[in-house]
Amino acid sequence: TLRMLVPALLVLLFCLRGRAGLSPHFLQQPEDLVVLLGDEARLPCALGAYWGLVQWTKDGLALGGERDLPGWSRYWISGNAASGQHDLHIRPVEIEDQASYECQATQAGLRSRRAQLHVLVPPEAPQVLGGPFVSLVAGVPANVTCRSRGDARPTPELLWFRDGVRLDGATFRQTLLKEGTTGSVESILSLTPSSHDDGAILVCRARSQALPAGKDTAITLSLQYPPVVTLSAEPQTVQEGEKVTFLCQATAQPPVTGYRWAKGGSPVLGARGPMLEVVADASFLTAPVSCEVSNAVGSANRSTALDVRFGPILQAKPKPLSVDVGEDASFSCVWRGNPLPRVTWTRRGDAQVLASGPTLRLLAVGPEDAGDYVCRAGPGLSGLRGGAAEARLTVNAPPVVTALHSAPAFLRGPARLQCLVFASPAPEAVVWSWDEGFLTAGSRGRFLVETFPAPEGRGGQGPGLISVLHISGTQESDFSRGFNCTARNRLGEGGTQVSLGRRDLLPAVRIVAGVAAVAMTLLMAVTGVALCCWRHGKASASFSKQKNLVRIPGSSNGSSSRGPEEETGSSKDQGPIVHTDHGDLALDEDGALETKDPTNGYYKVRGVSPPTSPDSCVTSLQLKSPGIFNLP
């Protein structure tokens, strides 16, 4: 109950004083304050006629009503609360303490004016680029840069001093961070030093409100000069292939640190000292050798070219030309040499000199002028080589069409006709024509046209084509008519006629077959008579002496005869076998002797029973078919 009475009594007291004319009010309010980083800040606040809760805010954020401000280790409230003193203390001050602060009497609804706390950050010692010893070149304008970094507040100014006297002519520049705060500031001092400035001491001072005395950084000037170079070659005039020595000499302060050699602007790999040895060639005449010498403050170079004697070198080749009939043609080529070579023009395969100098001009050319032209450079000094270059002249003219050999064809068989076309410019079309039509490409009825690139012809004739006309199923009319092969370009037309030869070998085949049949007939007749007589003379011989095996009709496998391979088989797999001395005779199914067929069935020769009379040897011949005869 006591706790509930205390607030009620305070409210009653407040009301009684209000009636008596006393109301809460500020006796002292906080003011804007500037404090150095790391120092203590004190913001005063005093209230009259108020004993309620007092609190401070930072940028609108309440710090709390307790005196020790829990959660804010560097913040506290001091003073006699009974007398209305509520001062805010911050120690040590840091950058994040820079803010707007307000003292509030919450129960009375009172707020003080806003007090801004500014935190000053002193600048660090500036940095001079290239210090503490800055090398300058006498007589050469130079810039010396002094830079201050960090979170200095406010932004420091940078000043230059020499022997305690401020120097003018410096340029000030500052860089801002993304948040808008200062990132860095720099001051650039421009000067042209002289020899009297060697050893001079310059001071760059950074100062601000946070550090009025400033902080200094000193540098010492050191005057130096780049190398002074001389370059010589020994010998200066040489023949191609001879050795040359280059010597590079230099004076410098500080001493030389390195050598670099180049030829025509390209570095010479592996060359680092003051001497260079090379083998001279034609390139040294136009690509000078240079020597670059460096030291700590700069570099300098010198170059020299050699007088190299060399033979002709082709610098610009003649280009192929393509011109129309009647127009002029002009070739040019450039040869380089020391001394300059003599240039002549000839036609390939002809020793006649057409012109001298770098240009050849042909007037009103014709087809006969087409070919390859040679630009020749004669040898220079004794022992030096010459050279030659060619270019082709193509004369544009109407196409030249030539018939190629075509093989004769059979009637109703395939045929092939060919023509060769050379033309420049290339023909627009190659056309085959005959009585009832024409064809450029593809097929039409019995006709098909194909075109192929041809091997290169005589120089300047232009590209070649072979056009082929295929005929399937030739007819009588194809052998009696002419086929025209025609080509056309923008300059005209050319053509030729191609005929189809006939090939008929069928009568010759018949003659050869007839002669062979007659010869075979005579041969068989003589053979038949001889066999008949021979069989009659051997009829009385014993069959056991026969060398060949003969199957008796009615044998186990029913076969009447076997080939030579079967005759040597085992007898237990065969029927009854008899022997006879007549190696060319066998028994037929009727028991008669049959002549063994030496033609394997192409001719069938049969023997007859031996005649009763030794003198009778009669054979009748019967013609079965052409080339096949039977002996009954």
Side-chain angles (χ1 to χ4, degrees):
T1 57
L2 182 59
R3 291 181 180 178
M4 297 177 60
L5 288 175
V6 171
L9 291 174
L10 290 175
V11 173
L12 178 60
L13 180 61
F14 175 77
C15 292
L16 291 175
R17 290 195 174 184
R19 291 179 182 177
L22 297 176
S23 61
H25 59 278
F26 280 103
L27 300 176
Q28 186 180 13
Q29 297 188 47
E31 302 286 344
D32 291 346
L33 181 64
V34 177
V35 64
L36 193 62
L37 180 71
D39 289 350
E40 180 179 338
R42 174 179 171 274
L43 296 173
C45 177
L47 289 164
Y50 180 76
W51 296 272
L53 179 64
V54 176
Q55 69 174 6
W56 283 86
T57 63
K58 175 183 179 181
D59 287 338
L61 176 66
L63 301 179
E66 291 83 355
R67 308 292 283 184
D68 57 353
L69 298 180
W72 301 86
S73 60
R74 296 179 293 106
Y75 290 52
W76 73 92
I77 298 175
S78 66
N80 188 350
S83 61
Q85 196 69 34
H86 305 277
D87 297 340
L88 176 64
H89 293 259
I90 305 174
R91 187 179 62 194
V93 172
E94 296 181 359
I95 294 178
E96 61 266 22
D97 297 330
Q98 182 166 295
S100 175
Y101 294 86
E102 189 178 86
C103 181
Q104 297 179 354
T106 56
Q107 293 172 336
L110 295 179
R111 290 185 176 184
S112 70
R113 71 170 65 93
R114 292 187 178 181
Q116 189 70 35
L117 176 62
H118 298 278
V119 180
L120 298 183
V121 180
E124 298 177 358
Q127 176 188 9
V128 178
L129 301 186
F133 295 95
V134 177
S135 295
L136 301 180
V137 180
V140 177
N143 293 328
V144 183
T145 301
C146 178
R147 182 175 297 165
S148 175
R149 295 181 179 273
D151 297 325
R153 299 183 185 185
T155 301
E157 62 176 339
L158 301 177
L159 305 175
W160 287 95
F161 296 88
R162 177 178 178 178
D163 299 332
V165 179
R166 182 174 174 179
L167 301 177
D168 296 327
T171 302
F172 182 79
R173 183 174 61 187
Q174 68 180 24
T175 303
L176 298 179
L177 298 177
K178 293 182 179 180
E179 295 78 6
T181 60
T182 302
S184 65
V185 294
E186 64 181 25
S187 176
I188 301 174
L189 178 65
S190 300
L191 71 161
T192 302
S194 66
S195 57
H196 301 290
D197 297 323
D198 187 29
I201 297 176
L202 301 182
V203 175
C204 178
R205 179 176 297 166
R207 72 180 184 183
S208 69
Q209 180 184 356
L211 189 63
K215 287 188 177 181
D216 296 344
T217 297
I219 60 169
T220 302
L221 299 182
S222 174
L223 294 181
Q224 299 175 346
Y225 58 90
V228 178
V229 181
T230 58
L231 179 62
S232 61
E234 183 62 34
Q236 191 72 35
T237 300
V238 294
Q239 295 286 339
E240 186 177 27
E242 292 183 352
K243 287 187 177 181
V244 179
T245 301
F246 293 90
L247 182 61
C248 185
Q249 296 175 309
T251 58
Q253 177 62 37
V256 172
T257 57
Y259 294 85
R260 290 178 57 190
W261 292 88
K263 176 191 171 188
S266 299
V268 178
L269 301 179
R272 301 185 181 277
M275 184 178 297
L276 174 66
E277 288 188 354
V278 298
V279 176
D281 57 30
S283 63
F284 285 90
L285 188 65
T286 56
V289 173
S290 63
C291 172
E292 181 182 79
V293 184
S294 304
N295 67 358
V297 297
S299 62
N301 70 76
R302 291 293 181 269
S303 62
T304 184
L306 296 178
D307 182 17
V308 182
R309 301 301 181 97
F310 59 93
I313 296 177
L314 183 61
Q315 202 166 19
K317 295 178 60 177
K319 297 180 179 179
L321 293 178
S322 177
V323 299
D324 293 346
V325 173
E327 293 183 350
D328 297 342
S330 180
F331 292 99
S332 64
C333 71
V334 179
W335 290 89
R336 187 168 61 92
N338 187 24
L340 290 175
R342 178 176 178 269
V343 179
T344 58
W345 291 87
T346 60
R347 188 168 181 174
R348 188 169 69 176
D350 190 350
Q352 181 183 359
V353 176
L354 303 177
S356 297
T359 303
L360 169 65
R361 186 175 179 83
L362 302 176
L363 303 178
V365 298
E368 66 279 2
D369 295 317
D372 297 320
Y373 290 84
V374 182
C375 173
R376 193 179 308 277
L381 299 177
S382 177
L384 299 181
R385 65 187 183 280
E390 293 186 2
R392 173 163 295 183
L393 173 63
T394 301
V395 179
N396 299 325
V400 177
V401 184
T402 307
L404 297 178
H405 171 72
S406 300
F410 291 107
L411 180 64
R412 289 182 291 278
R416 174 187 173 103
L417 301 178
Q418 302 179 95
C419 68
L420 175 62
V421 180
F422 283 108
S424 178
E428 301 167 2
V430 179
V431 182
W432 285 90
S433 61
W434 55 94
D435 295 343
E436 66 268 19
F438 66 91
L439 188 59
T440 302
S443 61
R444 177 182 177 184
R446 299 182 297 115
F447 301 95
L448 170 67
V449 170
E450 292 182 311
T451 303
F452 308 95
E456 186 177 358
R458 185 173 62 87
Q461 276 191 318
L465 296 174
I466 295 178
S467 184
V468 182
L469 175 64
H470 297 275
I471 306 174
S472 61
T474 57
Q475 300 177 0
E476 288 287 352
S477 59
D478 296 335
F479 300 100
S480 58
R481 62 177 152 199
F483 293 87
N484 296 314
C485 177
T486 307
R488 180 179 63 255
N489 63 11
R490 64 178 176 82
L491 297 176
E493 183 178 286
T496 188
Q497 189 175 76
V498 186
S499 299
L500 178 62
R502 184 164 181 169
R503 182 181 183 185
D504 191 359
L505 298 181
L506 294 180
V509 173
R510 292 194 183 100
I511 293 173
V512 172
V515 172
V518 171
M520 187 61 67
T521 302
L522 295 176
L523 177 62
M524 292 305 300
V526 173
T527 303
V529 172
L531 288 174
C532 179
C533 295
W534 177 73
R535 186 189 61 178
H536 175 73
K538 296 292 183 177
S540 58
S542 174
F543 279 95
S544 61
K545 296 181 180 180
Q546 183 179 351
K547 295 179 181 181
N548 296 321
L549 300 180
V550 180
R551 176 66 55 195
I552 301 298
S555 60
S556 61
N557 58 7
S559 175
S560 62
S561 63
R562 294 181 180 266
E565 293 84 4
E566 295 173 0
E567 293 170 357
T568 59
S570 175
S571 60
K572 61 184 176 181
D573 295 331
Q574 302 176 3
I577 298 177
V578 295
H579 295 273
T580 176
D581 290 336
H582 302 281
D584 295 329
L585 300 178
L587 293 176
D588 61 8
E589 294 178 357
D590 298 330
L593 290 174
E594 180 178 323
T595 304
K596 188 175 182 180
D597 186 2
T599 62
N600 292 328
Y602 188 76
Y603 298 103
K604 185 176 181 182
V605 181
R606 300 188 61 184
V608 296
S609 301
T612 57
S613 173
D615 298 327
S616 62
C617 184
V618 181
T619 305
S620 61
L621 301 176
Q622 179 180 356
L623 182 65
K624 293 182 63 179
S625 62
I628 301 176
F629 301 90
N630 286 340
L631 183 64

